[in-house]
Amino acid sequence: MIEMPPEPPPRQEQVIEHRLIECGLDARGVSVKYEDYLQSIEIVIGPKAGATTKHFACIKEAAGYEIVTFEDREMFAAYSDFASELARPQMLATFESRLKETGLWEGFPDRRDFGSLEDYARALEVHAGVPPGSALRISGNGILFDPAREGQNPADFVERYSDLLAVVAYASTKERLSFGFIGNERIAD
């Protein structure tokens, strides 16, 4: 009798794809592969997969911590909202712990106490020990981190704004506010 070598175990990509098919997705609309530039497995779900919002929980469980992208923008936005809402309680607990460690939990500004988002942003700056109007600005319904950069040593920059970033991270997660950064291209201007 000739012994055959054991079959190699399935690759992680195959396991994820199998799980997605078990969720009810059509394999013709699903791509699961490792992407070097992401240093992660990327799961791309196209319209042929037949995914609906009812599949989101199963997709999230099948994907684990891998990157999930939908080709359809509206589905991608809906899935991102779904995944963010799942992570929200843990994020709030993490940010709250950080604020307590740094002494920034007591007296934290309550959004309901401020008539405008701009007033709230100023209160967040003051709470973090930053002059009001010096680092945050409002864009639409969101807050942007846009401090002056001229003449700042990078180490001083981190020290000056780390508390503010912790304060805004908690506030934006708690209040479901959009929060963004002005990127490095601004520095080059």
Side-chain angles (χ1 to χ4, degrees):
M1 179 161 126
I2 300 175
E3 284 191 38
M4 298 295 288
E7 285 190 37
R11 292 186 351 258
Q12 184 65 21
E13 293 92 328
Q14 292 169 319
V15 171
I16 292 171
E17 185 173 353
H18 180 72
R19 289 178 185 159
L20 292 169
I21 292 166
E22 286 180 341
C23 289
L25 301 185
D26 186 324
R28 294 175 295 171
V30 176
S31 167
V32 182
K33 64 181 182 176
Y34 182 84
E35 295 290 355
D36 284 331
Y37 75 98
L38 295 171
Q39 296 185 350
S40 179
I41 293 173
E42 182 181 29
I43 300 158
V44 178
I45 301 175
K48 288 182 181 178
T52 68
T53 57
K54 293 177 182 174
H55 292 107
F56 285 175
C58 191
I59 291 169
K60 178 69 177 141
E61 187 173 327
Y65 294 104
E66 305 302 343
I67 297 169
V68 176
T69 306
F70 284 81
E71 290 177 349
D72 178 274
R73 284 180 168 206
E74 289 179 20
M75 282 293 284
F76 185 58
Y79 182 80
S80 294
D81 289 346
F82 170 83
S84 294
E85 205 52 39
L86 283 179
R88 190 169 176 268
Q90 180 60 43
M91 291 173 58
L92 283 170
T94 299
F95 294 144
E96 181 179 325
S97 176
R98 163 85 164 85
L99 293 173
K100 286 178 178 176
E101 286 173 11
T102 58
L104 292 168
W105 182 248
E106 292 299 318
F108 195 91
D110 187 333
R111 173 66 179 101
R112 294 173 294 196
D113 294 339
F114 300 91
S116 71
L117 186 56
E118 186 169 355
D119 291 342
Y120 184 54
R122 301 297 167 256
L124 295 173
E125 288 174 313
V126 169
H127 188 71
V130 175
S134 66
L136 300 179
R137 70 179 171 90
I138 304 305
S139 178
N141 292 327
I143 298 175
L144 291 177
F145 178 67
D146 187 19
R149 292 170 179 82
E150 300 82 38
Q152 287 202 23
N153 175 331
D156 294 339
F157 187 86
V158 170
E159 184 176 324
R160 180 174 185 173
Y161 294 114
S162 65
D163 284 347
L164 178 62
L165 291 174
V167 164
V168 175
Y170 176 76
S172 62
T173 303
K174 180 179 183 235
E175 303 297 336
R176 293 178 170 89
L177 299 171
S178 170
F179 176 62
F181 296 83
I182 299 298
N184 291 338
E185 67 277 359
R186 172 86 186 269
I187 295 172
D189 290 346

